[in-house]
Amino acid sequence: MRIGELAARAGTTTRTLRYYESRGLLPARRGENGYRTYDEDDLRLLRQIRTLQDFGFDLEETRPFVECLRAGHPEGDSCPASLVVYRRKLAELDTLIEQLTSVRAQVGAQLARAEAAVPGGPEPKCELGGHG
Amino acid sequence: MRIGELAARAGTTTRTLRYYESRGLLPARRGENGYRTYDEDDLRLLRQIRTLQDFGFDLEETRPFVECLRAGHPEGDSCPASLVVYRRKLAELDTLIEQLTSVRAQVGAQLARAEAAVPGGPEPKCELGGHG
DNA sequence: TCTTGCCTTGACGCCCGCGTCAAGGCTTAC
DNA sequence: GTAAGCCTTGACGCGGGCGTCAAGGCAAGA
């Protein structure tokens, strides 16, 4: 299979595949005409990468999973190095979610305070004259 | 006050202030020698910008707050345009937190599944021989 | 043979909020 | 006078994951 077909089957682009290859993540064999050649295993690796990318993993973070698959393991996370990445990611996510939740609370409080100070804020269609 | 002092008092850098000016966010008067000149009001504007930046607001999103202060209002969020930004930000935060929470759950599930499949994963120092 | 459509490499663009360096001018203290 | 330390503008770099164009090679059908 050539690069265009692989890209289509994985729902990505040829540019992306060349980029992965440039990063050493998904090297390709070459046909006699110089075209990149891929097989079903490459598709599996690519899908592993894409899944993790969709989760917000950096490209580098997908490397252990790819290497794990390439080493013949049944899943990309069948290797300790992948689990390390999982755990680090979980910690990052927890920290991030905590921070965002804190920010959300602060922004929400600011909004509530500001709305209370502005006439017509919470219920803009009532008491237009503001005589009450 | 000149740019260095303002930067120091706001806990930022001169480069940042020039950048804000280039974006039209924090224009400066000029002394006869060409030096930028700021006053205490500029410091207030700058602190408003920095606070929102710390909350993860884009620079453009701070503009209504800055203009509100510059218009003479007591707070940057004393204007409707600022409240719009607040509400939009809250919605963005909610969406993002939701997505991250979902990802966290999926990654956590993947980790649990992978750990269950790998001997020595959850408790690496026990049963080295794995005879149990 | 010509066209169409795939493929190749190379290289610049984008986003965003600055960091950092360059080359020079002004000010101030000694 | 001169050195230090502030200021000026201009311009390139960075990180990440590609998009997009350029210029050309190769393959297959009419």
Side-chain angles (χ1 to χ4, degrees):
Chain A
M1 156 174 42
R2 295 183 304 185
I3 194 170
E5 185 181 348
L6 178 62
R9 289 181 64 184
T12 184
T13 67
T14 60
R15 178 69 184 90
T16 295
L17 298 188
R18 294 196 189 95
Y19 177 65
Y20 290 172
E21 181 172 1
S22 78
R23 304 282 91 191
L25 201 60
L26 193 65
R29 281 113 282 164
R30 298 299 179 117
E32 48 185 53
N33 53 9
Y35 287 10
R36 288 173 178 83
T37 302
Y38 302 91
D39 57 23
E40 297 297 323
D41 284 340
D42 290 317
L43 179 57
R44 293 188 61 221
L45 301 188
L46 180 52
R47 285 187 167 146
Q48 172 73 83
I49 296 171
R50 292 266 100 195
T51 298
L52 295 175
Q53 286 270 85
D54 289 345
F55 281 168
F57 285 54
D58 294 343
L59 255 195
E60 274 311 307
E61 292 178 321
T62 73
R63 196 180 294 275
F65 296 80
V66 175
E67 291 181 349
C68 189
L69 279 175
R70 194 174 282 125
H73 293 85
E75 306 290 339
D77 54 17
S78 300
C79 302
S82 304
L83 301 187
V84 168
V85 175
Y86 271 160
R87 296 194 189 96
R88 187 157 45 76
K89 207 66 189 177
L90 280 179
E92 287 175 17
L93 283 168
D94 286 343
T95 299
L96 184 54
I97 291 171
E98 192 176 350
Q99 288 175 355
L100 291 176
T101 301
S102 168
V103 167
R104 205 234 104 98
Q106 294 181 66
V107 172
Q110 287 294 103
L111 175 59
R113 191 192 45 68
E115 277 178 338
V118 174
E123 289 171 299
K125 290 176 185 172
C126 303
E127 299 171 351
L128 285 174
H131 67 81
Chain B
M1 142 177 54
R2 293 184 306 185
I3 194 170
E5 184 180 348
L6 178 61
R9 289 181 64 185
T12 184
T13 67
T14 60
R15 179 69 184 89
T16 295
L17 298 190
R18 293 195 189 95
Y19 178 65
Y20 290 171
E21 182 173 0
S22 78
R23 302 283 92 192
L25 201 59
L26 192 65
R29 281 114 282 168
R30 298 299 180 116
E32 47 184 55
N33 53 10
Y35 286 12
R36 290 173 178 82
T37 303
Y38 302 91
D39 57 23
E40 296 297 322
D41 284 339
D42 291 316
L43 179 58
R44 292 188 62 222
L45 300 189
L46 180 52
R47 285 188 169 145
Q48 172 73 82
I49 296 171
R50 293 266 100 197
T51 297
L52 294 175
Q53 286 269 85
D54 289 345
F55 279 167
F57 284 53
D58 294 342
L59 254 195
E60 274 310 307
E61 293 178 321
T62 72
R63 196 180 294 273
F65 296 81
V66 175
E67 292 182 350
C68 189
L69 280 175
R70 194 174 284 127
H73 293 85
E75 305 291 338
D77 53 18
S78 300
C79 302
S82 304
L83 301 188
V84 169
V85 175
Y86 271 160
R87 295 195 191 96
R88 185 158 47 77
K89 206 65 189 180
L90 280 179
E92 287 176 16
L93 283 168
D94 286 342
T95 299
L96 184 54
I97 290 170
E98 192 176 349
Q99 287 175 354
L100 291 176
T101 301
S102 168
V103 167
R104 204 233 105 99
Q106 293 181 68
V107 173
Q110 286 295 101
L111 175 59
R113 191 191 44 69
E115 277 178 337
V118 175
E123 291 172 296
K125 289 176 184 170
C126 303
E127 301 170 350
L128 286 174
H131 66 81

